[in-house]
Amino acid sequence: MDGEPRTLRSTFVEAYPRYVARLLTGRSVEMVEVVADAVVEGTSVLDGLLKTLEATPFQMQRQSPLELFREALRPVGRALDTVGIQLPGVPAGSAFTAWDTYGLSPASSAELGPEAYEAHLRWGVSKARAMSATPSPPQRPPVAVWCAAQDRRMIEEQVASAGYVVSDRHGQASLAIVDVDTDVFEDDLAAAMQSAGRTIVYGSAIDDLQQTALRARGVWKIVDRQQILSDLSAVLPSLV
């Protein structure tokens, strides 16, 4: 129905061909017929794997949706082998799967697009609830915040309202929010990139050159200060 969150399976399956096309285009790989056929095959494989996952109780699930997405990229890897693709600059093998010599596997569901990412977060929360042996609420994803003192309360209140918990900056976090306008921004960004899965940078006047440099360093989102302070929900996926 309109307004209801889409299922994880539908968002991941829809994201699959777009993700592969974007990845290969970025590496100047032509979408020849054998590769296109592999994308169709991989999409079908992913749909089947996720359908089985949906029917499996959380307690019996042995792979995550993102692991299944990576597994479904095998047909694309085989197709690239068939056509003899050379991808300069791509390290041999993958940090996630030994077969992935082309580095196809996404590091995070955030790379699949906002709908898939939000669906994956909801799945994680649902599994945490199902796996909990006590009636206490499941652990909420931690968000680390590096910002000016005058911004902190407003940001932390919105983080909590979105269903997250503010993390100790020295701990592991699912997301980090960093203020570009502080005197210690470079140190904060380095710490955030090391400790968090995804980093959001905000500031009052981030120009195009700064945006390009930040994205080159792996920053996930770059947003205006006013948006962070007034409507963080437009940037941070809500879990409630």
Side-chain angles (χ1 to χ4, degrees), residues 102-120:
Y102 295 99
L104 302 173
S105 299
S108 162
S109 58
E111 296 179 37
L112 310 183
E115 284 195 326
Y117 181 54
E118 291 181 29
H120 194 199

Side-chain angles (χ1 to χ4, degrees), residues 106-215:
S108 162
S109 58
E111 296 179 37
L112 310 183
E115 284 195 326
Y117 181 54
E118 291 181 29
H120 194 199
L121 288 176
R122 289 195 300 270
W123 173 86
V125 171
S126 296
K127 181 167 185 175
R129 287 175 176 153
M131 297 293 289
S132 176
T134 67
S136 59
Q139 182 177 358
R140 297 187 293 168
V143 175
V145 180
W146 282 268
C147 68
Q150 64 267 26
D151 294 349
R152 177 168 294 276
R153 180 177 178 182
M154 193 172 298
I155 291 175
E156 290 185 348
E157 287 178 352
Q158 293 189 78
V159 166
S161 296
Y164 300 80
V165 61
V166 176
S167 166
D168 184 314
R169 65 174 54 191
H170 300 294
Q172 293 296 312
S174 301
L175 290 158
I177 299 173
V178 185
D179 183 354
V180 74
D181 296 326
T182 66
D183 294 336
V184 291
F185 166 69
E186 287 296 335
D187 292 339
D188 287 348
L189 181 61
M193 297 293 288
Q194 183 176 6
S195 67
R198 287 289 170 206
T199 299
I200 299 169
V201 169
Y202 76 96
S204 299
I206 304 176
D207 60 29
D208 292 342
L209 288 177
Q210 287 178 297
Q211 289 196 35
T212 300
L214 289 169
R215 294 196 185 283

Side-chain angles (χ1 to χ4, degrees), residues 19-20 23-24 26-27 29 34-35 70 73-106 111:
Y19 169 81
V20 176
L23 183 69
L24 297 184
R27 298 179 184 177
V29 177
V34 65
V35 177
R70 293 169 183 151
L73 290 167
R74 280 182 183 266
V76 178
R78 290 196 298 267
L80 295 178
D81 285 336
T82 299
V83 297
I85 292 294
Q86 298 294 321
L87 296 179
V90 177
S94 165
F96 309 105
T97 53
W99 63 265
D100 185 9
T101 57
Y102 295 99
L104 302 173
S105 299
E111 296 179 37

Side-chain angles (χ1 to χ4, degrees), residues 7-20 38-54 63-76 78 106 109 112 116 120:
T7 67
L8 182 141
R9 176 158 65 106
S10 66
T11 58
F12 268 44
V13 169
E14 183 176 295
Y16 183 98
R18 292 201 302 262
Y19 169 81
V20 176
V39 173
V40 174
E41 179 186 351
T43 303
S44 178
V45 168
L46 178 62
D47 187 55
L49 290 173
L50 292 176
K51 186 174 183 179
T52 299
L53 186 73
E54 284 180 341
Q63 289 179 292
S64 71
L66 190 58
E67 288 175 320
L68 297 179
F69 190 98
R70 293 169 183 151
E71 181 66 21
L73 290 167
R74 280 182 183 266
V76 178
R78 290 196 298 267
S109 58
L112 310 183
H120 194 199

